[in-house]
Amino acid sequence: MKEHARFLREPKIINVGAKHFYDDLKAQGADSVHVDWRPPAGGDREMAELLDKLKKL
Amino acid sequence: MGKIEEANEKAVKRIIEAKPVAIGIKKAKDVIPGMKEHMLLHAGPPITWERMCDPQRGAVMGAAVFEGWADTPEEAAKMAERGEIEFAACHDHDSVGPMAGITSPSMSVYMVKNEVHGNMTYCNLNEGLGKVLRYGAYSKEVLDRLRWMESEMAPLLTEAFKRSGPIDLAGIMAKALHMGDELHCRNTAASLIFLKAMAPHMVETGFDRRVVGKVMKFMGENELTFLQLSMAAAKAAADAGHGIEYSTIVTTMTRNGTDFGIRVSGLPGQWFTAPVAIPKTLFFPGFKEGDEGGDIGDSTIMETMGFGNFACICAPAVVQVVGGTVKDAENFTREMREITATKHKGFTIPYMNFEGTSLGIDIRKVVGTGIAPSINTGVTHKKAGVGGVGFGLVRAPMDCFKKALKAFTEKYGA
């Protein structure tokens, strides 16, 4: 219980995707790491489908 | 192994095997395939006078006066408007040209041969920085310098090459990467190694000592002397990997200040284009934000081959020139690993435990990751006649790669 309370006071944050959330957290002194993740083909469905087709070649 | 992986392996193997050597200098009209009178080659994908950016137009105007086709730059512009000058992309004529890339019939060009596969490439001589034709300037001092290069520098180098024999360009480039060059915006070490190789032969020609001294001084003071040879060498290797059925490897990236264009190994004869971006620029003294023109030049053949920004960590000094930090340089170099097929065996990066440079941009990886190739580049003034304003950083537009991926899927019927 005590450990849980400590966790709530000192959050360690993994930010995934949009980097500006990480930048804001760092600016406020939060303990955070950034994961540079992007959706496949930048979220472009047509391109994602083409890439899937090419996997068959 | 799938057909694409097999094809890509073949393409990068040919690129790695290539051995580009400089074999001499001749007039463009005498050696560049398809070059003729009243034709100008330009950087980037094909473009008309109407769509040409101002700095490229400036270089066209200067070249037309240099050739004696017009008496004034204004008259040259009218000739171009009337369609009296034929334009073609350097890349479509086995050539490359930095920045505006204007290459005219009477200009001397380096001849580079890929000794393994036999293909040839060509590039004109570097004029230095600032107010020069390739940056769109066309004043008297620009044209006088070009005339001097033709009357004294090119004849001397021509004779020196006859004595030196083929100059191993890949060897110079491999050394220069270990001496602080990334071979696009920084060719300082490579230029000096090249000068060292040519100097004794220049002296032995028996040319007037004042001419030899002047040419050596000009080449020694110009840190981009070797850029033209880097580019021709890179193209000679990249072209060896072009035209491989089923290959998704990018063999050309280039800009004309209006359009960014790429070519893909498995899609020969096709250009995929999108509007250029404006480089994030670190300006020379006297210039400011808003002066910069659009991304321009065939010199992105260096990034295509894994140099320039892709090898940025080889050149910590260059990050000051392009406006970044050493950590940025490392991040760029590592990020470009995400979109390339393999590592070069002949070019290595000291800072990264001598791993090979990244090689073989794959359109599938670019589109799939959303990571566009990053580029170190010279930057022109947006107006014709001014010249260079600085160096900068820019990304290739994603749309080129998306268009290529679409065409690839259509062609190969996936």
Side-chain angles (χ1 to χ4, degrees), chain B residues 98-99 123 126 134 183-185 187 190-191 223-232 299 302:
Chain B
M99 304 310 290
C123 190
N126 196 285
R134 74 176 190 282
L183 297 167
H184 185 167
C185 288
N187 274 270
S191 297
E223 296 184 352
L224 293 174
T225 286
F226 194 77
L227 173 64
Q228 262 75 349
L229 288 159
S230 289
M231 288 172 56
S299 52
M302 302 317 296

Side-chain angles (χ1 to χ4, degrees), chain B residues 155-230:
Chain B
L156 174 60
L157 283 173
T158 300
E159 289 305 311
F161 267 115
K162 286 178 188 168
R163 286 163 174 76
S164 71
I167 300 288
D168 174 12
L169 299 178
I172 292 177
M173 292 159 78
K175 275 185 200 165
L177 287 173
H178 292 190
M179 295 168 72
D181 284 355
E182 40 72 276
L183 297 167
H184 185 167
C185 288
R186 195 174 201 271
N187 274 270
T188 310
S191 297
L192 292 175
I193 300 170
F194 176 60
L195 178 58
K196 178 174 76 74
M198 299 304 287
H201 305 292
M202 285 195 257
V203 171
E204 284 169 9
T205 59
F207 272 52
D208 187 304
R209 278 190 302 176
R210 280 170 303 174
V211 173
V212 175
K214 194 175 173 186
V215 172
M216 281 190 188
K217 186 170 186 289
F218 182 75
M219 289 174 66
E221 288 178 352
N222 178 7
E223 296 184 352
L224 293 174
T225 286
F226 194 77
L227 173 64
Q228 262 75 349
L229 288 159
S230 289

Side-chain angles (χ1 to χ4, degrees), chain B residues 15 28 38 50 89 101 111 113 133 144 176 188 213 216 235 256 273 291 304 346 370 376:
Chain B
I15 293 170
H38 288 86
E50 288 69 31
M111 300 183 288
K113 182 178 186 181
L133 189 83
D144 284 349
T188 310
M216 281 190 188
K235 178 171 173 59
N256 57 33
T273 63
D291 288 341
T304 311
N376 292 346

Side-chain angles (χ1 to χ4, degrees), chain B residues 103-352:
Chain B
T103 306
S104 69
S106 303
M107 282 183 188
S108 292
V109 292
Y110 291 112
M111 300 183 288
V112 172
K113 182 178 186 181
N114 170 4
E115 284 190 325
V116 173
H117 306 101
N119 57 303
M120 295 285 302
T121 57
Y122 309 90
C123 190
N124 61 11
L125 312 185
N126 196 285
E127 316 156 70
L129 268 174
K131 209 164 188 182
V132 289
L133 189 83
R134 74 176 190 282
Y135 279 88
Y138 51 75
S139 61
K140 184 176 179 300
E141 66 175 285
V142 174
L143 299 182
D144 284 349
R145 188 188 303 110
L146 284 174
R147 289 182 185 119
W148 169 76
M149 287 167 71
E150 288 306 321
S151 65
E152 294 190 346
M153 183 178 173
L156 174 60
L157 283 173
T158 300
E159 289 305 311
F161 267 115
K162 286 178 188 168
R163 286 163 174 76
S164 71
I167 300 288
D168 174 12
L169 299 178
I172 292 177
M173 292 159 78
K175 275 185 200 165
L177 287 173
H178 292 190
M179 295 168 72
D181 284 355
E182 40 72 276
L183 297 167
H184 185 167
C185 288
R186 195 174 201 271
N187 274 270
T188 310
S191 297
L192 292 175
I193 300 170
F194 176 60
L195 178 58
K196 178 174 76 74
M198 299 304 287
H201 305 292
M202 285 195 257
V203 171
E204 284 169 9
T205 59
F207 272 52
D208 187 304
R209 278 190 302 176
R210 280 170 303 174
V211 173
V212 175
K214 194 175 173 186
V215 172
M216 281 190 188
K217 186 170 186 289
F218 182 75
M219 289 174 66
E221 288 178 352
N222 178 7
E223 296 184 352
L224 293 174
T225 286
F226 194 77
L227 173 64
Q228 262 75 349
L229 288 159
S230 289
M231 288 172 56
K235 178 171 173 59
D239 281 358
H242 192 65
I244 309 289
E245 288 279 296
Y246 283 97
S247 173
T248 52
I249 299 297
V250 175
T251 50
T252 307
M253 293 196 296
T254 183
R255 308 81 36 102
N256 57 33
T258 303
D259 299 321
F260 195 109
I262 68 166
R263 299 195 299 185
V264 176
S265 177
L267 299 168
Q270 295 185 64
W271 284 101
F272 302 98
T273 63
V276 294
I278 304 289
K280 186 184 164 206
T281 306
L282 197 66
F283 292 94
F284 295 147
F287 296 104
K288 60 182 187 314
E289 197 172 345
D291 288 341
E292 69 274 38
D295 194 18
I296 189 167
D298 283 336
S299 52
T300 26
I301 192 66
M302 302 317 296
E303 272 78 4
T304 311
M305 272 293 294
F307 305 116
N309 190 280
F310 283 50
C312 208
I313 195 57
C314 286
V318 88
V319 296
Q320 286 184 307
V321 181
V322 296
T325 65
V326 173
K327 188 67 188 166
D328 290 336
E330 183 187 350
N331 289 344
F332 281 129
T333 298
R334 291 195 189 282
E335 188 185 27
M336 293 304 107
R337 292 273 197 239
E338 301 291 320
I339 57 170
T340 42
T342 189
K343 293 171 189 169
H344 204 291
K345 291 180 173 60
F347 301 114
T348 57
I349 304 172
Y351 183 85
M352 289 166 70

